[in-house]
Amino acid sequence: MRADPATDWTRVDIEALRQHLIDMDNVTLRSEVAAAEVPEGAVFSVTSDDANVVASIQRMVTAHAATMDDPSGWRYGAVATATGADLTVTGDAAQIRALGFIGAMTVGMHHQAHHWAIATGAAPHQ
């Protein structure tokens, strides 16, 4: 950011990036995932008994599904639940089932740009 003269320092929000990284940590390490096969893919029920982790799950899963239809034909849909969220991913069933929930959440080369957008105040989840 410092090397870019176009950086709008009034919008920079490194704390928002930190909060997003906390959400990623909660979803990756502190949630439970149950997978069920559906035609052409899977439904991943992501849950927790911890209210903070439930909030992280709901933010991450619904935001990811809203922005991540994959160019290879995968489709994502999410529904918040009382204890987290359900993520449905359809497309190449064998790949989806093999990758599982975390794999489906990491497909694509969007993370660096996504984190940059958060840090520079672009608010990509809204």
Side-chain angles (χ1 to χ4, degrees):
M1 285 182 261
R2 291 176 63 198
D4 182 356
T7 296
D8 181 350
W9 290 99
T10 66
R11 294 181 50 97
V12 169
D13 192 349
I14 301 304
E15 179 59 21
L17 177 59
R18 186 179 85 83
Q19 291 301 316
H20 177 71
L21 296 173
I22 290 168
D23 282 346
M24 288 178 63
D25 186 71
N26 281 341
V27 171
T28 303
L29 301 177
R30 292 170 183 77
S31 65
E32 299 292 325
V33 178
E37 292 184 2
V38 296
E40 299 184 33
V43 175
F44 303 102
S45 296
V46 188
T47 63
S48 176
D49 293 330
D50 180 318
N52 290 324
V53 177
V54 169
S56 292
I57 293 166
Q58 291 171 341
R59 281 189 294 271
M60 292 290 297
V61 172
T62 57
H64 191 74
T67 61
M68 241 336 267
D69 281 347
D70 186 293
S72 68
W74 290 17
R75 296 291 170 250
Y76 292 71
V79 177
T81 66
T83 57
D86 291 340
L87 177 68
T88 302
V89 185
T90 58
D92 184 319
Q95 287 182 15
I96 292 163
R97 293 171 189 160
L99 290 172
F101 169 69
I102 292 300
M105 291 290 286
T106 62
V107 167
M109 292 298 295
H110 65 282
H111 287 101
Q112 292 88 347
H114 176 75
H115 290 173
W116 184 261
I118 293 169
T120 57
H125 296 128
Q126 298 173 5

